[in-house]
Amino acid sequence: MGLFSFIKNAGEKLFGKDEKEVAAQAAANVDDLNTKAAAAIQTYIEKQNLGLTGLAVAFDGASGKVTLNGSAPSQEAAEKAVLAAGNVTGVSDVDNNLQFPAEAAAQYHDVVSGDTLAAIAKQYYGDANQYMKIFEANKPMLSHPDKIYVGQKLRIPA
């Protein structure tokens, strides 16, 4: 599916530390930290219950890049895995190598200040009442339709 870019300082804080502290520790033991970060991201993706098989996650802390390998039951599941990985603080790019059956491609939207799911639905579908379609397409990364944040990347299904 390719490489997706994200805002590195936005998203879930899986590593429990600020970026300066992570950078200082990274200098000491890069390989170990990359392995631990990859494991944390993989656990986070697996908690989404997307039906992925053979999921393998690699993380490069220097570049902020996550690489996903394995199989997904659908394009939607693969896209949700990309969003789960990319919406983690410290991740700037996700290289999606997940295999899945061919389907129609979805669009993506980067949340900006003032965005709501209703406004995004109006923009893409011409109907603000379609916001639940976007919410459902981004579950379980979104816990509530009113809880989106600036810098988050959302999947806009066809």
Side-chain angles (χ1 to χ4, degrees):
M1 253 180 83
L3 188 65
F4 292 82
S5 295
F6 293 84
I7 295 176
K8 192 171 184 177
N9 294 324
E12 287 291 323
K13 299 196 182 332
L14 296 184
F15 311 131
K17 300 174 183 175
D18 67 20
E19 192 172 331
K20 289 178 186 173
E21 189 176 344
V22 170
Q25 289 183 356
N29 193 351
V30 174
D31 292 337
D32 187 43
L33 287 173
N34 285 343
T35 301
K36 287 179 181 178
I41 293 167
Q42 182 167 339
T43 299
Y44 180 64
I45 293 169
E46 288 171 345
K47 285 182 181 179
Q48 309 306 315
N49 295 319
L50 300 173
L52 305 177
T53 56
L55 178 62
V57 176
F59 179 70
D60 176 25
S63 66
K65 181 179 174 183
V66 172
T67 303
L68 302 178
N69 290 295
S71 297
S74 66
Q75 180 176 340
E76 178 181 359
E79 290 169 348
K80 285 184 177 184
V82 168
L83 292 175
N87 285 317
V88 168
T89 299
V91 174
S92 61
D93 296 296
V94 177
D95 189 6
N96 184 7
N97 297 322
L98 293 170
Q99 301 298 312
F100 55 87
E103 299 174 18
Q107 297 178 3
Y108 294 90
H109 178 83
D110 293 320
V111 177
V112 296
S113 181
D115 270 353
T116 64
L117 287 185
I120 296 168
K122 177 106 172 122
Q123 177 183 341
Y124 287 91
Y125 304 127
D127 180 4
N129 291 325
Q130 295 287 322
Y131 75 94
M132 285 303 289
K133 187 174 182 180
I134 299 170
F135 175 69
E136 292 296 326
N138 289 281
K139 280 174 83 177
M141 281 74 64
L142 295 181
S143 60
H144 191 277
D146 293 333
K147 293 186 179 180
I148 62 174
Y149 52 88
V150 173
Q152 188 174 29
K153 188 177 292 277
L154 299 175
R155 179 179 181 272
I156 310 299

